Amino acid sequence: MLEVGLYSGPAFTAMDGKGRFSIPASMRHVVQASSGGQNRLCLTKHEDFNCVIGFGHSYQQAMRADIDREEQLASARGEGYSRAAAMQRKFGLLEDVPFDEGGRFFISPFLKKLCGIEDIVFINGSGDYFELWNPHALIATDGVYDALKLAAEFALEEWEKNPKNVRGSK
């Protein structure tokens, strides 16, 4: 498998006039490296949280390896395992999305609706992938790292300080 960097750090982006969001440059380089140098991004729903995750193409192989490992462990314990259900969970909503040289990309209307994403997104680098959150949803979600919630609150406050970013003034 292709060895690439890890996604780390917080970022914040607002939807542009064409409905696109931007991948931070530091994360964009990781996506490109794990997508064979192409400007291609995989997006899907997080399995545990109400957010979208993004990653380069090579991570799909790690996702399949996770399914193989889960299946082997279940077999060793004498338990049943539905590979088909696991494949649906991991790959059923996965979208292959192009992005331009500035890192701008579209989140499908379905994924936006599913995860409550509107016009602003808090991005959290989470190692193998990065998370794209409605910042209000992240702050309200149980089980999320408290410091991450504070980072989202801070980014949201900074964004709202700019009068052109206040809802209804666009």
Side-chain angles (χ1 to χ4, degrees):
M1 185 164 79
L2 183 63
E3 187 67 33
V4 296
L6 298 173
Y7 301 101
S8 62
F12 196 80
T13 184
M15 188 169 60
D16 70 10
K18 295 181 181 180
R20 301 172 299 183
F21 295 96
S22 294
I23 307 167
S26 62
M27 294 182 193
R28 187 177 330 136
H29 298 302
V30 177
V31 172
Q32 288 169 320
S34 76
S35 294
Q38 296 182 357
N39 287 359
R40 306 297 300 183
L41 170 66
C42 295
L43 297 174
T44 192
K45 167 123 180 14
H46 194 291
E47 284 188 56
D48 298 321
F49 295 117
N50 196 28
C51 68
V52 173
I53 61 171
F55 48 87
H57 282 207
S58 68
Y59 184 60
Q60 292 178 77
Q61 296 306 316
M63 291 166 61
R64 185 161 66 198
D66 285 346
I67 292 170
D68 293 342
R69 194 169 26 264
E70 289 170 3
E71 187 174 33
Q72 290 170 355
L73 290 171
S75 177
R77 291 188 305 260
E79 299 172 355
Y81 184 81
S82 174
R83 186 175 184 85
M87 292 296 269
Q88 281 181 339
R89 211 174 45 252
K90 298 269 189 196
F91 296 102
L93 299 178
L94 194 136
E95 299 175 1
D96 181 355
V97 179
F99 60 92
D100 67 15
E101 291 304 318
R104 292 177 295 266
F105 66 97
F106 291 99
I107 299 174
S108 73
F110 173 73
L111 281 178
K112 287 195 315 191
K113 183 174 184 170
L114 183 64
C115 296
I117 292 174
E118 296 173 353
D119 56 349
I120 54 176
V121 172
F122 181 80
I123 301 173
N124 175 53
S126 292
D128 293 332
Y129 54 83
F130 57 93
E131 301 167 346
L132 300 136
W133 286 87
N134 172 324
H136 301 286
L138 185 151
I139 293 163
T141 299
D142 291 334
V144 172
Y145 181 48
D146 286 339
L148 186 59
K149 289 182 180 189
L150 289 173
E153 286 177 9
F154 178 79
L156 190 57
E157 288 170 4
E158 290 297 306
W159 186 79
E160 289 176 344
K161 283 181 186 177
N162 185 336
K164 73 176 186 168
N165 293 334
V166 177
R167 295 177 201 262
S169 66
K170 294 181 181 177

PDB file of all heavy atoms in Angstrom, residues 42-45 47 53 55-68 70 81 83-96:
ATOM      1  N   CYS A  42     -12.099  11.163  -1.663  1.00  0.00           N
ATOM      2  CA  CYS A  42     -13.205  10.281  -1.286  1.00  0.00           C
ATOM      3  C   CYS A  42     -13.927  10.909  -0.108  1.00  0.00           C
ATOM      4  O   CYS A  42     -13.293  11.362   0.846  1.00  0.00           O
ATOM      5  CB  CYS A  42     -12.682   8.902  -0.882  1.00  0.00           C
ATOM      6  SG  CYS A  42     -11.897   7.992  -2.219  1.00  0.00           S
ATOM      7  N   LEU A  43     -15.245  10.943  -0.187  1.00  0.00           N
ATOM      8  CA  LEU A  43     -16.085  11.456   0.892  1.00  0.00           C
ATOM      9  C   LEU A  43     -17.125  10.404   1.246  1.00  0.00           C
ATOM     10  O   LEU A  43     -17.682   9.746   0.364  1.00  0.00           O
ATOM     11  CB  LEU A  43     -16.817  12.731   0.468  1.00  0.00           C
ATOM     12  CG  LEU A  43     -15.983  13.946   0.123  1.00  0.00           C
ATOM     13  CD1 LEU A  43     -16.876  15.069  -0.406  1.00  0.00           C
ATOM     14  CD2 LEU A  43     -15.186  14.423   1.322  1.00  0.00           C
ATOM     15  N   THR A  44     -17.396  10.253   2.540  1.00  0.00           N
ATOM     16  CA  THR A  44     -18.454   9.358   2.995  1.00  0.00           C
ATOM     17  C   THR A  44     -18.880   9.779   4.398  1.00  0.00           C
ATOM     18  O   THR A  44     -18.221  10.603   5.040  1.00  0.00           O
ATOM     19  CB  THR A  44     -18.006   7.876   2.963  1.00  0.00           C
ATOM     20  OG1 THR A  44     -19.148   7.045   3.153  1.00  0.00           O
ATOM     21  CG2 THR A  44     -16.939   7.571   3.992  1.00  0.00           C
ATOM     22  N   LYS A  45     -19.936   9.191   4.882  1.00  0.00           N
ATOM     23  CA  LYS A  45     -20.404   9.466   6.244  1.00  0.00           C
ATOM     24  C   LYS A  45     -19.532   8.719   7.248  1.00  0.00           C
ATOM     25  O   LYS A  45     -19.179   7.572   7.033  1.00  0.00           O
ATOM     26  CB  LYS A  45     -21.864   9.016   6.394  1.00  0.00           C
ATOM     27  CG  LYS A  45     -22.322   8.968   7.851  1.00  0.00           C
ATOM     28  CD  LYS A  45     -23.464   9.779   8.146  1.00  0.00           C
ATOM     29  CE  LYS A  45     -23.953   9.780   9.570  1.00  0.00           C
ATOM     30  NZ  LYS A  45     -23.154   9.260  10.637  1.00  0.00           N
ATOM     31  N   GLU A  47     -18.791   6.541  10.391  1.00  0.00           N
ATOM     32  CA  GLU A  47     -19.595   5.432  10.931  1.00  0.00           C
ATOM     33  C   GLU A  47     -20.166   5.730  12.312  1.00  0.00           C
ATOM     34  O   GLU A  47     -21.222   5.210  12.671  1.00  0.00           O
ATOM     35  CB  GLU A  47     -18.762   4.151  10.995  1.00  0.00           C
ATOM     36  CG  GLU A  47     -18.574   3.516   9.644  1.00  0.00           C
ATOM     37  CD  GLU A  47     -17.927   2.156   9.732  1.00  0.00           C
ATOM     38  OE1 GLU A  47     -18.463   1.283  10.448  1.00  0.00           O
ATOM     39  OE2 GLU A  47     -16.881   1.973   9.090  1.00  0.00           O
ATOM     40  N   ILE A  53     -16.446  12.250   6.321  1.00  0.00           N
ATOM     41  CA  ILE A  53     -14.998  12.079   6.364  1.00  0.00           C
ATOM     42  C   ILE A  53     -14.462  12.142   4.946  1.00  0.00           C
ATOM     43  O   ILE A  53     -15.138  11.764   3.984  1.00  0.00           O
ATOM     44  CB  ILE A  53     -14.546  10.782   7.076  1.00  0.00           C
ATOM     45  CG1 ILE A  53     -15.068   9.526   6.392  1.00  0.00           C
ATOM     46  CG2 ILE A  53     -14.951  10.821   8.539  1.00  0.00           C
ATOM     47  CD1 ILE A  53     -14.468   8.220   6.930  1.00  0.00           C
ATOM     48  N   PHE A  55     -10.754  11.542   2.492  1.00  0.00           N
ATOM     49  CA  PHE A  55      -9.458  10.873   2.436  1.00  0.00           C
ATOM     50  C   PHE A  55      -9.089  10.612   0.988  1.00  0.00           C
ATOM     51  O   PHE A  55      -9.926  10.705   0.084  1.00  0.00           O
ATOM     52  CB  PHE A  55      -9.479   9.560   3.226  1.00  0.00           C
ATOM     53  CG  PHE A  55     -10.665   8.678   2.928  1.00  0.00           C
ATOM     54  CD1 PHE A  55     -10.644   7.769   1.882  1.00  0.00           C
ATOM     55  CD2 PHE A  55     -11.811   8.769   3.710  1.00  0.00           C
ATOM     56  CE1 PHE A  55     -11.745   6.967   1.607  1.00  0.00           C
ATOM     57  CE2 PHE A  55     -12.916   7.968   3.444  1.00  0.00           C
ATOM     58  CZ  PHE A  55     -12.882   7.070   2.388  1.00  0.00           C
ATOM     59  N   GLY A  56      -7.826  10.263   0.762  1.00  0.00           N
ATOM     60  CA  GLY A  56      -7.363   9.882  -0.560  1.00  0.00           C
ATOM     61  C   GLY A  56      -7.712   8.443  -0.877  1.00  0.00           C
ATOM     62  O   GLY A  56      -8.108   7.672  -0.007  1.00  0.00           O
ATOM     63  N   HIS A  57      -7.554   8.081  -2.132  1.00  0.00           N
ATOM     64  CA  HIS A  57      -7.974   6.754  -2.613  1.00  0.00           C
ATOM     65  C   HIS A  57      -7.299   5.587  -1.911  1.00  0.00           C
ATOM     66  O   HIS A  57      -7.923   4.546  -1.713  1.00  0.00           O
ATOM     67  CB  HIS A  57      -7.744   6.663  -4.115  1.00  0.00           C
ATOM     68  CG  HIS A  57      -8.790   7.377  -4.889  1.00  0.00           C
ATOM     69  ND1 HIS A  57      -9.127   7.032  -6.164  1.00  0.00           N
ATOM     70  CD2 HIS A  57      -9.612   8.410  -4.567  1.00  0.00           C
ATOM     71  CE1 HIS A  57     -10.088   7.822  -6.603  1.00  0.00           C
ATOM     72  NE2 HIS A  57     -10.386   8.671  -5.653  1.00  0.00           N
ATOM     73  N   SER A  58      -6.046   5.722  -1.524  1.00  0.00           N
ATOM     74  CA  SER A  58      -5.350   4.568  -0.947  1.00  0.00           C
ATOM     75  C   SER A  58      -5.976   4.111   0.369  1.00  0.00           C
ATOM     76  O   SER A  58      -5.860   2.941   0.732  1.00  0.00           O
ATOM     77  CB  SER A  58      -3.866   4.864  -0.736  1.00  0.00           C
ATOM     78  OG  SER A  58      -3.679   5.839   0.267  1.00  0.00           O
ATOM     79  N   TYR A  59      -6.673   4.978   1.070  1.00  0.00           N
ATOM     80  CA  TYR A  59      -7.294   4.594   2.339  1.00  0.00           C
ATOM     81  C   TYR A  59      -8.410   3.559   2.140  1.00  0.00           C
ATOM     82  O   TYR A  59      -8.736   2.812   3.066  1.00  0.00           O
ATOM     83  CB  TYR A  59      -7.817   5.826   3.079  1.00  0.00           C
ATOM     84  CG  TYR A  59      -8.381   5.512   4.442  1.00  0.00           C
ATOM     85  CD1 TYR A  59      -7.591   4.931   5.428  1.00  0.00           C
ATOM     86  CD2 TYR A  59      -9.713   5.768   4.740  1.00  0.00           C
ATOM     87  CE1 TYR A  59      -8.111   4.619   6.683  1.00  0.00           C
ATOM     88  CE2 TYR A  59     -10.239   5.471   5.991  1.00  0.00           C
ATOM     89  CZ  TYR A  59      -9.440   4.896   6.952  1.00  0.00           C
ATOM     90  OH  TYR A  59      -9.955   4.589   8.186  1.00  0.00           O
ATOM     91  N   GLN A  60      -8.951   3.472   0.941  1.00  0.00           N
ATOM     92  CA  GLN A  60      -9.975   2.463   0.676  1.00  0.00           C
ATOM     93  C   GLN A  60      -9.432   1.057   0.912  1.00  0.00           C
ATOM     94  O   GLN A  60     -10.158   0.183   1.380  1.00  0.00           O
ATOM     95  CB  GLN A  60     -10.496   2.580  -0.754  1.00  0.00           C
ATOM     96  CG  GLN A  60     -11.284   3.861  -0.997  1.00  0.00           C
ATOM     97  CD  GLN A  60     -11.742   3.966  -2.418  1.00  0.00           C
ATOM     98  OE1 GLN A  60     -12.702   3.298  -2.801  1.00  0.00           O
ATOM     99  NE2 GLN A  60     -11.058   4.779  -3.199  1.00  0.00           N
ATOM    100  N   GLN A  61      -8.160   0.844   0.605  1.00  0.00           N
ATOM    101  CA  GLN A  61      -7.549  -0.467   0.835  1.00  0.00           C
ATOM    102  C   GLN A  61      -7.471  -0.760   2.337  1.00  0.00           C
ATOM    103  O   GLN A  61      -7.688  -1.891   2.762  1.00  0.00           O
ATOM    104  CB  GLN A  61      -6.160  -0.536   0.191  1.00  0.00           C
ATOM    105  CG  GLN A  61      -6.185  -0.408  -1.315  1.00  0.00           C
ATOM    106  CD  GLN A  61      -7.106  -1.417  -1.981  1.00  0.00           C
ATOM    107  OE1 GLN A  61      -7.121  -2.590  -1.636  1.00  0.00           O
ATOM    108  NE2 GLN A  61      -7.897  -0.949  -2.941  1.00  0.00           N
ATOM    109  N   ALA A  62      -7.172   0.248   3.134  1.00  0.00           N
ATOM    110  CA  ALA A  62      -7.146   0.073   4.590  1.00  0.00           C
ATOM    111  C   ALA A  62      -8.548  -0.247   5.114  1.00  0.00           C
ATOM    112  O   ALA A  62      -8.709  -1.056   6.037  1.00  0.00           O
ATOM    113  CB  ALA A  62      -6.594   1.325   5.264  1.00  0.00           C
ATOM    114  N   MET A  63      -9.566   0.364   4.519  1.00  0.00           N
ATOM    115  CA  MET A  63     -10.941   0.088   4.926  1.00  0.00           C
ATOM    116  C   MET A  63     -11.301  -1.369   4.638  1.00  0.00           C
ATOM    117  O   MET A  63     -11.933  -2.036   5.457  1.00  0.00           O
ATOM    118  CB  MET A  63     -11.908   1.038   4.207  1.00  0.00           C
ATOM    119  CG  MET A  63     -11.780   2.482   4.659  1.00  0.00           C
ATOM    120  SD  MET A  63     -12.608   3.682   3.584  1.00  0.00           S
ATOM    121  CE  MET A  63     -14.298   3.171   3.658  1.00  0.00           C
ATOM    122  N   ARG A  64     -10.884  -1.861   3.484  1.00  0.00           N
ATOM    123  CA  ARG A  64     -11.152  -3.259   3.162  1.00  0.00           C
ATOM    124  C   ARG A  64     -10.362  -4.193   4.073  1.00  0.00           C
ATOM    125  O   ARG A  64     -10.857  -5.223   4.513  1.00  0.00           O
ATOM    126  CB  ARG A  64     -10.854  -3.567   1.700  1.00  0.00           C
ATOM    127  CG  ARG A  64     -11.271  -5.005   1.377  1.00  0.00           C
ATOM    128  CD  ARG A  64     -11.444  -5.309  -0.063  1.00  0.00           C
ATOM    129  NE  ARG A  64     -10.197  -5.242  -0.785  1.00  0.00           N
ATOM    130  CZ  ARG A  64     -10.134  -5.135  -2.105  1.00  0.00           C
ATOM    131  NH1 ARG A  64     -11.225  -5.063  -2.817  1.00  0.00           N
ATOM    132  NH2 ARG A  64      -8.975  -5.094  -2.707  1.00  0.00           N
ATOM    133  N   ALA A  65      -9.132  -3.806   4.403  1.00  0.00           N
ATOM    134  CA  ALA A  65      -8.324  -4.611   5.333  1.00  0.00           C
ATOM    135  C   ALA A  65      -8.989  -4.665   6.708  1.00  0.00           C
ATOM    136  O   ALA A  65      -8.943  -5.702   7.381  1.00  0.00           O
ATOM    137  CB  ALA A  65      -6.910  -4.048   5.430  1.00  0.00           C
ATOM    138  N   ASP A  66      -9.630  -3.575   7.131  1.00  0.00           N
ATOM    139  CA  ASP A  66     -10.368  -3.573   8.399  1.00  0.00           C
ATOM    140  C   ASP A  66     -11.502  -4.596   8.364  1.00  0.00           C
ATOM    141  O   ASP A  66     -11.730  -5.316   9.349  1.00  0.00           O
ATOM    142  CB  ASP A  66     -10.962  -2.188   8.695  1.00  0.00           C
ATOM    143  CG  ASP A  66      -9.934  -1.178   9.148  1.00  0.00           C
ATOM    144  OD1 ASP A  66      -8.802  -1.571   9.499  1.00  0.00           O
ATOM    145  OD2 ASP A  66     -10.271   0.024   9.140  1.00  0.00           O
ATOM    146  N   ILE A  67     -12.192  -4.673   7.255  1.00  0.00           N
ATOM    147  CA  ILE A  67     -13.281  -5.645   7.114  1.00  0.00           C
ATOM    148  C   ILE A  67     -12.724  -7.062   7.169  1.00  0.00           C
ATOM    149  O   ILE A  67     -13.282  -7.925   7.857  1.00  0.00           O
ATOM    150  CB  ILE A  67     -14.069  -5.394   5.804  1.00  0.00           C
ATOM    151  CG1 ILE A  67     -14.831  -4.072   5.911  1.00  0.00           C
ATOM    152  CG2 ILE A  67     -15.017  -6.564   5.503  1.00  0.00           C
ATOM    153  CD1 ILE A  67     -15.451  -3.599   4.622  1.00  0.00           C
ATOM    154  N   ASP A  68     -11.614  -7.298   6.472  1.00  0.00           N
ATOM    155  CA  ASP A  68     -10.983  -8.626   6.510  1.00  0.00           C
ATOM    156  C   ASP A  68     -10.622  -9.012   7.939  1.00  0.00           C
ATOM    157  O   ASP A  68     -10.876 -10.129   8.379  1.00  0.00           O
ATOM    158  CB  ASP A  68      -9.713  -8.649   5.647  1.00  0.00           C
ATOM    159  CG  ASP A  68      -9.983  -8.495   4.165  1.00  0.00           C
ATOM    160  OD1 ASP A  68     -11.135  -8.700   3.724  1.00  0.00           O
ATOM    161  OD2 ASP A  68      -9.025  -8.151   3.432  1.00  0.00           O
ATOM    162  N   GLU A  70     -11.892  -7.760  10.816  1.00  0.00           N
ATOM    163  CA  GLU A  70     -13.122  -7.970  11.593  1.00  0.00           C
ATOM    164  C   GLU A  70     -13.703  -9.353  11.314  1.00  0.00           C
ATOM    165  O   GLU A  70     -14.145 -10.048  12.242  1.00  0.00           O
ATOM    166  CB  GLU A  70     -14.168  -6.904  11.229  1.00  0.00           C
ATOM    167  CG  GLU A  70     -13.853  -5.512  11.712  1.00  0.00           C
ATOM    168  CD  GLU A  70     -14.790  -4.462  11.111  1.00  0.00           C
ATOM    169  OE1 GLU A  70     -15.734  -4.830  10.357  1.00  0.00           O
ATOM    170  OE2 GLU A  70     -14.584  -3.266  11.376  1.00  0.00           O
ATOM    171  N   TYR A  81     -20.566 -13.169  10.886  1.00  0.00           N
ATOM    172  CA  TYR A  81     -20.112 -11.869  10.406  1.00  0.00           C
ATOM    173  C   TYR A  81     -20.717 -11.639   9.031  1.00  0.00           C
ATOM    174  O   TYR A  81     -20.616 -12.501   8.152  1.00  0.00           O
ATOM    175  CB  TYR A  81     -18.587 -11.830  10.315  1.00  0.00           C
ATOM    176  CG  TYR A  81     -18.035 -10.473   9.920  1.00  0.00           C
ATOM    177  CD1 TYR A  81     -17.888  -9.468  10.864  1.00  0.00           C
ATOM    178  CD2 TYR A  81     -17.679 -10.200   8.609  1.00  0.00           C
ATOM    179  CE1 TYR A  81     -17.395  -8.228  10.515  1.00  0.00           C
ATOM    180  CE2 TYR A  81     -17.177  -8.960   8.246  1.00  0.00           C
ATOM    181  CZ  TYR A  81     -17.042  -7.978   9.205  1.00  0.00           C
ATOM    182  OH  TYR A  81     -16.552  -6.749   8.850  1.00  0.00           O
ATOM    183  N   ARG A  83     -20.154  -9.859   5.915  1.00  0.00           N
ATOM    184  CA  ARG A  83     -19.223  -9.078   5.101  1.00  0.00           C
ATOM    185  C   ARG A  83     -19.986  -8.077   4.226  1.00  0.00           C
ATOM    186  O   ARG A  83     -19.551  -6.949   4.038  1.00  0.00           O
ATOM    187  CB  ARG A  83     -18.356 -10.004   4.259  1.00  0.00           C
ATOM    188  CG  ARG A  83     -17.277  -9.282   3.499  1.00  0.00           C
ATOM    189  CD  ARG A  83     -16.347 -10.246   2.755  1.00  0.00           C
ATOM    190  NE  ARG A  83     -15.270  -9.519   2.124  1.00  0.00           N
ATOM    191  CZ  ARG A  83     -14.133  -9.166   2.709  1.00  0.00           C
ATOM    192  NH1 ARG A  83     -13.908  -9.514   3.969  1.00  0.00           N
ATOM    193  NH2 ARG A  83     -13.208  -8.496   2.069  1.00  0.00           N
ATOM    194  N   ALA A  84     -21.132  -8.512   3.715  1.00  0.00           N
ATOM    195  CA  ALA A  84     -21.930  -7.626   2.866  1.00  0.00           C
ATOM    196  C   ALA A  84     -22.370  -6.379   3.642  1.00  0.00           C
ATOM    197  O   ALA A  84     -22.294  -5.264   3.127  1.00  0.00           O
ATOM    198  CB  ALA A  84     -23.146  -8.366   2.314  1.00  0.00           C
ATOM    199  N   ALA A  85     -22.801  -6.562   4.885  1.00  0.00           N
ATOM    200  CA  ALA A  85     -23.215  -5.413   5.699  1.00  0.00           C
ATOM    201  C   ALA A  85     -22.026  -4.499   5.990  1.00  0.00           C
ATOM    202  O   ALA A  85     -22.151  -3.271   5.948  1.00  0.00           O
ATOM    203  CB  ALA A  85     -23.855  -5.888   7.003  1.00  0.00           C
ATOM    204  N   ALA A  86     -20.874  -5.096   6.255  1.00  0.00           N
ATOM    205  CA  ALA A  86     -19.672  -4.299   6.518  1.00  0.00           C
ATOM    206  C   ALA A  86     -19.270  -3.515   5.270  1.00  0.00           C
ATOM    207  O   ALA A  86     -18.889  -2.345   5.361  1.00  0.00           O
ATOM    208  CB  ALA A  86     -18.529  -5.199   6.978  1.00  0.00           C
ATOM    209  N   MET A  87     -19.349  -4.142   4.112  1.00  0.00           N
ATOM    210  CA  MET A  87     -19.006  -3.453   2.858  1.00  0.00           C
ATOM    211  C   MET A  87     -19.982  -2.305   2.596  1.00  0.00           C
ATOM    212  O   MET A  87     -19.567  -1.225   2.167  1.00  0.00           O
ATOM    213  CB  MET A  87     -19.001  -4.441   1.690  1.00  0.00           C
ATOM    214  CG  MET A  87     -17.883  -5.472   1.758  1.00  0.00           C
ATOM    215  SD  MET A  87     -16.220  -4.779   1.638  1.00  0.00           S
ATOM    216  CE  MET A  87     -15.991  -4.852  -0.119  1.00  0.00           C
ATOM    217  N   GLN A  88     -21.266  -2.528   2.879  1.00  0.00           N
ATOM    218  CA  GLN A  88     -22.243  -1.447   2.721  1.00  0.00           C
ATOM    219  C   GLN A  88     -21.902  -0.276   3.631  1.00  0.00           C
ATOM    220  O   GLN A  88     -21.941   0.881   3.215  1.00  0.00           O
ATOM    221  CB  GLN A  88     -23.655  -1.931   3.067  1.00  0.00           C
ATOM    222  CG  GLN A  88     -24.326  -2.711   1.998  1.00  0.00           C
ATOM    223  CD  GLN A  88     -25.728  -3.132   2.416  1.00  0.00           C
ATOM    224  OE1 GLN A  88     -26.062  -3.182   3.605  1.00  0.00           O
ATOM    225  NE2 GLN A  88     -26.548  -3.456   1.432  1.00  0.00           N
ATOM    226  N   ARG A  89     -21.582  -0.593   4.883  1.00  0.00           N
ATOM    227  CA  ARG A  89     -21.269   0.439   5.876  1.00  0.00           C
ATOM    228  C   ARG A  89     -20.057   1.255   5.451  1.00  0.00           C
ATOM    229  O   ARG A  89     -20.043   2.477   5.585  1.00  0.00           O
ATOM    230  CB  ARG A  89     -21.024  -0.257   7.216  1.00  0.00           C
ATOM    231  CG  ARG A  89     -21.384   0.495   8.421  1.00  0.00           C
ATOM    232  CD  ARG A  89     -21.264  -0.300   9.718  1.00  0.00           C
ATOM    233  NE  ARG A  89     -20.059  -1.085   9.862  1.00  0.00           N
ATOM    234  CZ  ARG A  89     -19.991  -2.420   9.794  1.00  0.00           C
ATOM    235  NH1 ARG A  89     -21.074  -3.145   9.585  1.00  0.00           N
ATOM    236  NH2 ARG A  89     -18.849  -3.046   9.951  1.00  0.00           N
ATOM    237  N   LYS A  90     -19.039   0.586   4.956  1.00  0.00           N
ATOM    238  CA  LYS A  90     -17.789   1.275   4.607  1.00  0.00           C
ATOM    239  C   LYS A  90     -17.836   1.953   3.242  1.00  0.00           C
ATOM    240  O   LYS A  90     -17.271   3.027   3.063  1.00  0.00           O
ATOM    241  CB  LYS A  90     -16.615   0.290   4.614  1.00  0.00           C
ATOM    242  CG  LYS A  90     -16.336  -0.365   5.940  1.00  0.00           C
ATOM    243  CD  LYS A  90     -15.365   0.412   6.746  1.00  0.00           C
ATOM    244  CE  LYS A  90     -14.952  -0.394   7.978  1.00  0.00           C
ATOM    245  NZ  LYS A  90     -14.321   0.423   8.971  1.00  0.00           N
ATOM    246  N   PHE A  91     -18.486   1.292   2.263  1.00  0.00           N
ATOM    247  CA  PHE A  91     -18.382   1.774   0.885  1.00  0.00           C
ATOM    248  C   PHE A  91     -19.701   2.224   0.258  1.00  0.00           C
ATOM    249  O   PHE A  91     -19.701   2.816  -0.814  1.00  0.00           O
ATOM    250  CB  PHE A  91     -17.767   0.675   0.006  1.00  0.00           C
ATOM    251  CG  PHE A  91     -16.365   0.322   0.395  1.00  0.00           C
ATOM    252  CD1 PHE A  91     -16.103  -0.826   1.134  1.00  0.00           C
ATOM    253  CD2 PHE A  91     -15.299   1.139   0.049  1.00  0.00           C
ATOM    254  CE1 PHE A  91     -14.809  -1.160   1.506  1.00  0.00           C
ATOM    255  CE2 PHE A  91     -14.010   0.822   0.422  1.00  0.00           C
ATOM    256  CZ  PHE A  91     -13.761  -0.325   1.149  1.00  0.00           C
ATOM    257  N   GLY A  92     -20.816   1.947   0.918  1.00  0.00           N
ATOM    258  CA  GLY A  92     -22.117   2.218   0.321  1.00  0.00           C
ATOM    259  C   GLY A  92     -22.387   3.674  -0.005  1.00  0.00           C
ATOM    260  O   GLY A  92     -23.062   3.974  -0.981  1.00  0.00           O
ATOM    261  N   LEU A  93     -21.877   4.590   0.801  1.00  0.00           N
ATOM    262  CA  LEU A  93     -22.126   6.021   0.573  1.00  0.00           C
ATOM    263  C   LEU A  93     -20.882   6.758   0.064  1.00  0.00           C
ATOM    264  O   LEU A  93     -20.901   7.976  -0.055  1.00  0.00           O
ATOM    265  CB  LEU A  93     -22.612   6.685   1.868  1.00  0.00           C
ATOM    266  CG  LEU A  93     -23.915   6.150   2.451  1.00  0.00           C
ATOM    267  CD1 LEU A  93     -24.241   6.864   3.759  1.00  0.00           C
ATOM    268  CD2 LEU A  93     -25.052   6.291   1.460  1.00  0.00           C
ATOM    269  N   LEU A  94     -19.832   6.020  -0.234  1.00  0.00           N
ATOM    270  CA  LEU A  94     -18.565   6.638  -0.631  1.00  0.00           C
ATOM    271  C   LEU A  94     -18.694   7.334  -1.983  1.00  0.00           C
ATOM    272  O   LEU A  94     -19.202   6.754  -2.940  1.00  0.00           O
ATOM    273  CB  LEU A  94     -17.464   5.573  -0.692  1.00  0.00           C
ATOM    274  CG  LEU A  94     -16.060   6.148  -0.772  1.00  0.00           C
ATOM    275  CD1 LEU A  94     -15.148   5.397   0.172  1.00  0.00           C
ATOM    276  CD2 LEU A  94     -15.536   6.068  -2.182  1.00  0.00           C
ATOM    277  N   GLU A  95     -18.249   8.572  -2.042  1.00  0.00           N
ATOM    278  CA  GLU A  95     -18.284   9.358  -3.270  1.00  0.00           C
ATOM    279  C   GLU A  95     -16.859   9.739  -3.658  1.00  0.00           C
ATOM    280  O   GLU A  95     -16.052  10.098  -2.808  1.00  0.00           O
ATOM    281  CB  GLU A  95     -19.113  10.632  -3.066  1.00  0.00           C
ATOM    282  CG  GLU A  95     -20.555  10.355  -2.690  1.00  0.00           C
ATOM    283  CD  GLU A  95     -21.345  11.603  -2.374  1.00  0.00           C
ATOM    284  OE1 GLU A  95     -20.795  12.729  -2.453  1.00  0.00           O
ATOM    285  OE2 GLU A  95     -22.532  11.454  -2.032  1.00  0.00           O
ATOM    286  N   ASP A  96     -16.573   9.666  -4.942  1.00  0.00           N
ATOM    287  CA  ASP A  96     -15.286  10.071  -5.498  1.00  0.00           C
ATOM    288  C   ASP A  96     -15.484  11.465  -6.082  1.00  0.00           C
ATOM    289  O   ASP A  96     -16.264  11.648  -7.020  1.00  0.00           O
ATOM    290  CB  ASP A  96     -14.867   9.072  -6.578  1.00  0.00           C
ATOM    291  CG  ASP A  96     -13.521   9.393  -7.206  1.00  0.00           C
ATOM    292  OD1 ASP A  96     -12.922  10.439  -6.887  1.00  0.00           O
ATOM    293  OD2 ASP A  96     -13.072   8.592  -8.043  1.00  0.00           O
TER     294      ASP A  96
END
